Amino acid sequence: MPTRRELANAVRALAMDAVEAAKSGHPGMPMGMADIAEVLWNDFLQFNPGNPGWFNRDRFVLSNGHGSMLQYALLHLSGYDLPIDELKHFRQLHSKTAGHPEYGHTPGAETTTGPLGQGLANAVGFALAEKILAARFNRPGHDIVDHHTYVFLGDGCLMEGISHEVASLAGTWKLGKLVAVYDDNGISIDGEVEGWFTDNTPARFEAYGWNVIRDVDGHDAEAVKKALAQATAQSERPTLICAKTIIGFGAPNKQGKEESHGAALGKDEIAAARVQLQWNHAPFEIPADIYAGWNARDKGIARERSWDEAFAAYATAHPELAAELKRRLSGELPQDWAEKSQAYVAKLQAEGPEVASRKASQMTLDAYGPLLPELLGGSADLAASNLTKWKGSLDAGNGNSSDGKGNYVYYGVREFGMTAIANGLALHGGFIPYDATFMVFSDYARNAVRMSALIPAQAIHVYTHDSIGLGEDGPTHQPVEHMASLRLIPNNHVWRPCDAVESAVSWKAAIERRGAPSCLVFSRQALKHQQRDEQQLADIRRGGYVLSDPADTKFQVILIGTGSEVELAMEASRALAQQGIAARVVSMPCTDVFDEQPLEYREGVLPGWCRARVAVEAASADFWAKYVGFDGEVIGMNTFGASAPAPQLFEHFGITVAHVIEAAKRVVG
């Protein structure tokens, strides 16, 4: 039977060989953390390589994702569907071993990591999801939601500000099944970190309320095992294991140095490492006894079978709870969702409320919330402004409501951490998370929004106070470029509704968009209700539609608007009609969805023969060029805003009915 060190050395060898073959990558961290990973994966981690999606598995997150070969080696050796040829093609086109772990791309990768600190944040989301679901569904004698979240992280993760945000929350929420292992090797790309990172990390996490296990020798398997046992023996606080390691362990001339961090070791150093590690095997060659020592397939099958039996007993004792949990984990919406949500949209259209779209959003949550127990929301200390709390909102109680029915999370002023935690909640399963802040502060969260789309994860990002219309707070709080910036993120649907009806439809679309994110952008100021027939009501879901056409004549100009500016377009069309110019008005609440429509539909809304077009939006004007072309004009923002009441600002910056009319006349010629 191989020794623990020999099992760990297999990880080191695969990391060296794969990075060398690619001439690119990070061998140092995998070699340094191999001993820790061997103990975790063989003695603690509960998983089934044959079914990576088994629900009650422990979650493993590699926050220091540049060391991806550590995870790929572990997945391959333990029996996941990741054959050796995939490791040989590390970082190559179409391989399953990308430069950083990617969710949905590599079996066993729980999330996409690489941007440092966000993996830790995702792990906090996983642990929060487990805790709330356990409180909601477990019953005496039936702990069917019972798993840990383990996360590896390094100095870079801890230097990033997001680590402060989410570690603070994890301590406050008492996420006792979250275990983080800190790879304290003292090295980053630029060298020894003591020149720029002198934090007392153990004291910092103790101040957050974590259980901290200090000074663990990361190359002593028994010490690592003892620390992990201590971490998992308690459930009151998250645990940080501070493990001292040597980066590039086993490479005699480069271990402990930045040279082993982010570049191939080179053939000579790899040969020397093989000698030092007593690894006498060719590149990518793993002896049968080493494979046998790692293979977790039989154990995984037994684990899942045991849980299946436990769940069957649970379903017999609590059939309604079991059915509800299965529904939520499958991602299926309740049976009455489609009918009742659409009935609410129709009701709004009939009643025609004229409210700010942020208020319409809250009204929609009041209607949709009771239908969706999986909806879990929160705001970055702006609940009263974002209007994200609804009538049925219950404090999740620091993630530990006694019955698990809490559905609202107070994130505090932590936009970045909040958004990345929402990604973790979505990936865990059982929840549709939403988060909220002012739109201008989406900048703080933007990289996590990007990760929502890249992963992808069904997180709903709510942004209110969407333009200069927020008024007196001034340019620091008035978003200008943010709309365009969010729309430029691939796979990210950005909705900016023009009234209460479009607001309800945008929420409905985001909830039904499984496995991908949406941004819902709402106004501070009241918006007028727009009249629609049944076809127009249905076409809102298509992202852009004809809101108004001349009654008895062919239109000469197309006016395109979103949000609060749709009413400007409508008023301008009426005024133009009186002057003998026929205008079509197009409401485009979601350009991303509109662009996904068949050409025939898009051509029907914006026909190529009508080149006279005007777009109006109180945001960056340049974005709209692709819709109006060289012959059209855009009424929008080209500077930052100013501090004044909203009506004065719209007049000052020329976002008015009069300017739309003037632009329409110019493009008609």
Side-chain angles (χ1 to χ4, degrees):
M1 181 67 185
T3 65
R4 305 207 82 140
R5 177 54 57 81
E6 288 171 333
L7 293 174
N9 284 346
V11 173
R12 294 185 170 101
L14 288 173
M16 290 190 301
D17 294 341
V19 173
E20 182 66 24
K23 302 299 181 185
S24 173
H26 299 75
M29 186 280 273
M31 297 175 74
M33 294 198 80
D35 295 305
I36 300 169
E38 187 276 322
V39 175
L40 174 63
W41 280 62
N42 283 325
D43 289 9
F44 290 88
L45 199 69
Q46 302 293 302
F47 62 100
N48 180 7
N51 181 14
W54 168 44
F55 166 66
N56 206 43
R57 69 193 182 278
D58 291 336
R59 271 59 168 179
F60 174 76
V61 178
L62 194 73
S63 189
N64 42 357
H66 55 273
S68 57
M69 265 311 304
L70 174 69
Q71 187 162 7
Y72 299 148
L74 295 167
L75 293 168
H76 168 73
L77 291 168
S78 59
Y80 283 82
D81 183 18
L82 195 67
I84 194 69
D85 281 350
E86 294 292 347
L87 276 65
K88 290 179 180 179
H89 293 94
F90 176 54
R91 289 186 165 222
Q92 304 308 301
L93 187 64
H94 303 312
S95 77
K96 293 182 180 180
T97 50
H100 294 82
E102 295 184 18
Y103 173 79
H105 188 70
T106 305
E110 300 285 2
T111 183
T112 301
T113 57
L116 293 175
Q118 288 197 61
L120 172 60
N122 295 163
V124 171
F126 286 139
L128 178 62
E130 190 276 342
K131 189 165 191 176
I132 296 175
L133 285 176
R136 175 70 185 94
F137 289 99
N138 288 353
R139 291 297 181 269
H142 299 282
D143 290 337
I144 43 89
V145 181
D146 182 17
H147 48 268
H148 283 79
T149 300
Y150 297 94
V151 55
F152 283 4
L153 51 88
D155 290 308
C157 294
L158 294 176
M159 283 187 256
E160 289 287 357
I162 191 174
S163 71
H164 296 260
E165 296 182 21
V166 301
S168 172
L169 284 168
T172 298
W173 293 337
K174 297 179 172 57
L175 300 180
K177 290 187 177 178
L178 174 64
V179 179
V181 181
Y182 167 33
D183 180 29
D184 185 9
N185 60 38
I187 296 293
S188 67
I189 291 175
D190 282 350
E192 297 181 6
V193 300
E194 63 184 14
W196 48 87
F197 185 52
T198 58
D199 298 17
N200 186 336
T201 297
R204 168 185 157 191
F205 276 75
E206 286 169 347
Y208 292 144
W210 286 53
N211 170 42
V212 177
I213 303 174
R214 299 172 178 242
D215 300 322
V216 176
D217 183 347
H219 301 296
D220 181 339
E222 289 306 311
V224 172
K225 185 174 181 178
K226 180 180 177 182
L228 286 167
Q230 183 181 336
T232 55
Q234 61 85 48
S235 59
E236 293 302 312
R237 294 180 293 166
T239 295
L240 178 72
I241 297 173
C242 299
K244 287 287 184 181
T245 66
I246 299 171
I247 192 171
F249 181 92
N253 301 304
K254 294 186 177 181
Q255 68 178 17
K257 300 177 182 178
E258 62 268 26
E259 287 92 334
S260 69
H261 185 286
L265 296 177
K267 292 183 178 179
D268 292 344
E269 185 69 5
I270 289 175
R274 276 181 152 77
V275 172
Q276 180 156 313
L277 295 171
Q278 299 180 14
W279 186 261
N280 303 312
H281 311 288
F284 297 105
E285 180 184 319
I286 305 295
D289 63 336
I290 296 291
Y291 272 127
W294 273 103
N295 194 338
R297 280 187 168 268
D298 290 343
K299 289 189 292 185
I301 291 170
R303 288 166 182 151
E304 185 170 357
R305 183 178 296 135
S306 176
W307 184 82
D308 286 343
E309 292 171 356
F311 189 84
Y314 172 74
T316 298
H318 305 283
E320 292 184 2
L321 284 173
E324 175 65 6
L325 179 59
K326 287 178 69 174
R327 180 194 70 77
R328 287 175 60 167
L329 295 179
S330 73
E332 293 181 7
L333 295 171
Q335 287 187 348
D336 60 354
W337 161 256
E339 178 184 352
K340 290 185 176 179
S341 59
Q342 190 57 41
Y344 176 70
V345 172
K347 176 175 176 287
L348 278 182
Q349 184 61 49
E351 294 177 351
E354 298 194 354
V355 295
S357 53
R358 62 170 175 159
K359 180 60 180 177
S361 169
Q362 186 180 51
M363 292 161 53
T364 300
L365 286 171
D366 284 335
Y368 292 173
L371 307 176
L372 297 169
E374 58 264 54
L375 201 61
L376 180 64
S379 170
D381 200 46
L382 286 169
S385 294
N386 297 147
L387 302 184
T388 43
K389 288 182 68 177
W390 52 284
K391 292 176 182 177
S393 288
L394 299 171
D395 185 358
N398 296 335
N400 191 28
S401 54
S402 59
D403 59 3
K405 293 182 180 178
N407 56 13
Y408 196 82
V409 180
Y410 293 90
Y411 285 102
V413 188
R414 299 180 179 95
E415 295 88 354
F416 192 7
M418 168 185 70
T419 309
I421 287 171
N423 290 339
L425 288 166
L427 291 171
H428 179 277
F431 293 101
I432 299 175
Y434 66 91
D435 52 71
T437 186
F438 285 177
M439 189 178 184
V440 76
F441 300 136
S442 65
D443 275 348
Y444 285 142
R446 192 181 187 282
N447 199 266
V449 177
R450 181 179 188 269
M451 294 304 294
S452 298
L454 175 61
I455 290 170
Q458 188 188 11
I460 301 173
H461 309 301
V462 177
Y463 300 125
T464 68
H465 298 64
D466 65 352
S467 71
I468 57 172
L470 74 87
E472 293 83 351
D473 273 341
T476 62
H477 282 53
Q478 293 166 5
V480 172
E481 73 280 17
H482 302 72
M483 205 88 65
S485 175
L486 291 169
R487 286 170 176 151
L488 289 174
I489 299 175
N491 197 36
N492 185 41
H493 285 181
V494 181
W495 289 84
R496 187 175 183 237
C498 77
D499 65 1
V501 175
E502 285 191 359
S503 298
V505 172
S506 68
W507 265 109
K508 182 173 166 62
I511 288 165
E512 293 174 358
R513 192 182 189 219
R514 292 180 56 181
S518 301
C519 295
L520 308 184
V521 181
F522 298 123
S523 71
R524 179 192 183 198
Q525 71 272 34
L527 306 180
K528 291 187 177 181
H529 173 70
Q530 301 299 329
Q531 295 298 321
R532 302 173 181 86
D533 60 27
E534 288 188 10
Q535 187 60 56
Q536 290 170 316
L537 195 63
D539 285 345
I540 296 173
R541 281 293 298 267
R542 307 189 78 162
Y545 64 102
V546 178
L547 181 61
S548 173
D549 256 346
D552 302 314
T553 185
K554 187 176 182 179
F555 57 87
Q556 301 162 268
V557 61
I558 301 174
L559 309 179
I560 309 168
T562 73
S564 52
E565 288 70 70
V566 167
E567 177 56 27
L568 298 184
M570 289 294 290
E571 290 187 25
S573 71
R574 291 188 284 266
L576 287 166
Q578 294 177 355
Q579 299 176 43
I581 299 175
R584 162 176 283 188
V585 176
V586 170
S587 176
M588 198 174 288
C590 186
T591 60
D592 311 283
V593 172
F594 180 76
D595 290 347
E596 294 171 358
Q597 300 306 304
L599 176 61
E600 182 181 6
Y601 178 80
R602 287 181 282 129
E603 177 69 17
V605 176
L606 298 176
W609 62 261
C610 185
R611 299 169 66 87
R613 303 178 184 181
V614 177
V616 54
E617 185 176 59
S620 178
D622 290 347
F623 171 82
W624 289 97
K626 69 175 182 176
Y627 296 104
V628 301
F630 291 112
D631 298 322
E633 289 196 21
V634 181
I635 307 297
M637 296 290 295
N638 294 298
T639 67
F640 293 115
S643 182
Q648 294 180 24
L649 291 172
F650 278 94
E651 186 69 33
H652 175 74
F653 289 106
I655 303 174
T656 63
V657 173
H659 281 84
V660 175
I661 293 170
E662 291 170 6
K665 289 179 177 179
R666 285 194 295 271
V667 298
V668 169

